[in-house]
Amino acid sequence: MGSLFRSEEMALCQLFLQSEAAYACVSELGELGLVQFRDLNPDVNAFQRKFVNEVRRCDEMERKLRYLEKEIKKDGIPMLDTGESPEAPQPREMIDLEATFEKLENELREVNQNAEALKRNFLELTELKHILRKTQVFFDEMADNQNEDEQAQLLGEEGVRANQPGQNLKLG
């Protein structure tokens, strides 16, 4: 097998293919990696070309795959890298791949939204828990102060002084 280096001997060829066989032939040539294609219609706008919709679909699937890969790497999930490029899928398989990628992307976005909502709820509940603890401490102190005030009224000043912390008060 050769390569596409400048010093490599090359030949300029023109292929005429039936449109039904064009996809299979071009994908086989592309997988060999020994062909360079020249645009014979450089003046034609990219949006006026025959296969622009298929290219757009491929670009959209590539975007979804990049998103999935970014999320996988972000979570530290190991990915198997075989080092080889898979064969080009047949056009009928592209529809299934497109649906699968769409489903995975939507599910992953939903999981991310749910995770964010759970984090927000956790923070709100943690904040409320701390508020409840602080108010409990406040009310406990208020109750202790009220008990001391009631004891002072019942026993008078000397009874409160005699009943210091750690001493038992005996009423008799």
Side-chain angles (χ1 to χ4, degrees):
M1 288 204 159
S3 63
L4 294 177
F5 291 117
R6 184 176 210 133
S7 60
E8 193 74 30
E9 190 173 319
M10 293 186 184
L12 179 61
C13 301
Q14 188 172 8
L15 290 173
F16 292 98
L17 303 169
Q18 292 180 350
S19 46
E20 295 85 24
Y23 181 86
C25 292
V26 169
S27 69
E28 282 293 322
L29 289 171
E31 287 172 16
L32 289 174
L34 301 174
V35 179
Q36 180 178 357
F37 293 98
R38 268 171 92 189
D39 189 1
L40 298 178
N41 300 316
D43 54 332
V44 176
N45 186 339
F47 297 106
Q48 295 172 335
R49 296 185 185 265
K50 186 172 183 178
F51 298 105
V52 71
N53 289 333
E54 285 79 4
V55 171
R56 282 184 184 161
R57 287 174 53 204
C58 289
D59 284 343
E60 183 65 16
M61 286 192 289
E62 184 181 22
R63 181 197 62 78
K64 290 174 184 176
L65 284 173
R66 279 193 314 268
Y67 172 72
L68 293 171
E69 181 183 28
K70 182 187 80 165
E71 291 295 317
I72 287 170
K73 286 182 178 178
K74 183 177 83 173
D75 288 337
I77 300 170
M79 288 190 298
L80 178 64
D81 185 12
T82 60
E84 58 188 47
S85 297
E87 292 184 8
Q90 294 298 320
R92 62 184 170 274
E93 294 171 346
M94 294 283 282
I95 296 169
D96 295 338
L97 283 173
E98 205 171 12
T100 301
F101 295 159
E102 180 75 22
K103 180 183 170 200
L104 288 172
E105 181 189 33
N106 289 338
E107 287 177 359
L108 190 54
R109 288 194 190 282
E110 186 177 333
V111 165
N112 286 340
Q113 288 173 350
N114 290 340
E116 286 297 319
L118 284 172
K119 285 179 187 175
R120 278 194 307 275
N121 287 345
F122 176 75
L123 291 174
E124 288 175 10
L125 291 173
T126 303
E127 182 180 353
L128 289 173
K129 180 175 77 172
H130 288 295
I131 290 171
L132 287 173
R133 284 183 180 163
K134 291 291 183 182
T135 53
Q136 183 65 42
V137 168
F138 174 77
F139 286 128
D140 288 345
E141 290 174 357
M142 291 294 291
D144 290 344
N145 289 341
Q146 188 176 8
N147 286 342
E148 289 176 6
D149 289 344
E150 288 175 0
Q151 284 180 359
Q153 288 176 353
L154 289 174
L155 301 176
E157 289 275 326
E158 289 139 24
V160 172
R161 273 189 245 132
N163 188 25
Q164 294 298 321
Q167 298 178 5
N168 292 330
L169 177 65
K170 294 184 182 177
L171 298 174

